[in-house]
Amino acid sequence: DGVCIDILARCDNINDCKDKSDEANCARVKINPTYQKFIVPPPHIVGSEATEVTVGMNLETIMDINEVEGYFQVQFYLTMKWFESRLNFKNLKTDIDLNNFLPSENTEIWVPELVFENTEEKPSTVTDDKATIKVKKKGKFKSSEISSNENIQYFAGSENEISMSRFYNQKFICEYQMAWYPFDIQRCRLVLSMKRAFAPFTKLLVEDIIYEGEIFLTKYEVKDVTITVTDLANTQAVVVEITLGRQLLGVMLNVFVPTLVLNIISYSTNFYKDSYFESVIGINLTSMLVLVALFVSVNQSLPATSYIKMI
């Protein structure tokens, strides 16, 4: 309606104009016609040979630990950060939550793609309506040309970092080592490798990992969670390792205590008089059958192994 507002009030999710025109056409990205989203962007640091992609993770919870099937299921938020020097961003705010891409813009730019290696189907990260892409304001801006009919602040992609986050619920394969059961320590991993086509032109870095789930699970206790970068064949991978220690109280009450009680009962028959011979036989046979049933129950709850377990 001809009334001017401060440029900082443009596209800030607050309607300052009566006709709400200040929150219309709030595209965040300026893309050149020659832009190709399937090509890895050049490094934003002069002299660098690869584009740096920083990976972080918020591990929400461990949903399931299946020792027999050999997998564990986790829910997590995966975050990837990088610079895209071929782009310019419009009207960035200090608050990164106000710098979201429009849903239509998410699929118009290059994004890193990680493959979940230790899974059955080897799916990869996706960019869809569940993904959130933001830009962190770091660099200075240039104003639009005087000839332009709109006042826009342009921020260089080489100075302002892109951040993409998405929620995943995924099963990962874990090789459980049961030789020392129930005094075992398990180490399960999430292996996320860079897509082979992008690997020669990218370099993976990691941030600190945050575990927000329960420390004490049904069978295990979460001892430690780490995140590192390792080299795989022809690519790099981010490895998240979860160290699990078994909770012994449940095993003691359900296995060791019943076994001890049954052995005491069976041993006590040695002090019976000879006239109770039939009772001695009955008690010992019953104890043996219960022990066998207990052994089979415990054995079925554990994965089959070629080596002898401690229990």
Side-chain angles (χ1 to χ4, degrees), residues 8-25:
L8 297 179
R10 177 82 165 97
C11 298
D12 62 351
N13 294 335
I14 300 175
N15 291 311
D16 297 289
C17 297
K18 294 181 179 180
D19 60 358
K20 303 179 182 180
S21 59
D22 60 312
E23 298 301 316
N25 301 319

Side-chain angles (χ1 to χ4, degrees), residues 226-275:
T226 61
I227 184 170
T228 56
V229 176
T230 188
D231 291 325
L232 297 181
N234 302 320
T235 187
Q236 282 186 308
V238 173
V239 178
V240 176
E241 184 174 87
I242 305 172
T243 304
L244 303 170
R246 191 177 299 275
Q247 296 192 56
L248 294 177
L249 181 59
V251 180
M252 292 294 182
L253 294 177
N254 296 320
V255 179
F256 287 97
V257 172
T259 301
L260 179 62
V261 171
L262 287 169
N263 279 284
I264 292 174
I265 292 173
S266 180
Y267 179 75
S268 67
T269 60
N270 292 324
F271 303 98
Y272 285 21
K273 294 181 179 181
D274 294 342
S275 58

Side-chain angles (χ1 to χ4, degrees), residues 4 64 92 111 116-117 128 165 167 172 174 198 212 238 270 292 302:
C4 294
D64 188 19
L92 295 183
V111 297
F116 301 149
E117 287 288 345
D128 54 13
S165 179
F167 175 80
F172 290 86
C174 182
F198 298 157
E212 299 179 344
V238 173
N270 292 324
V292 169
L302 301 175

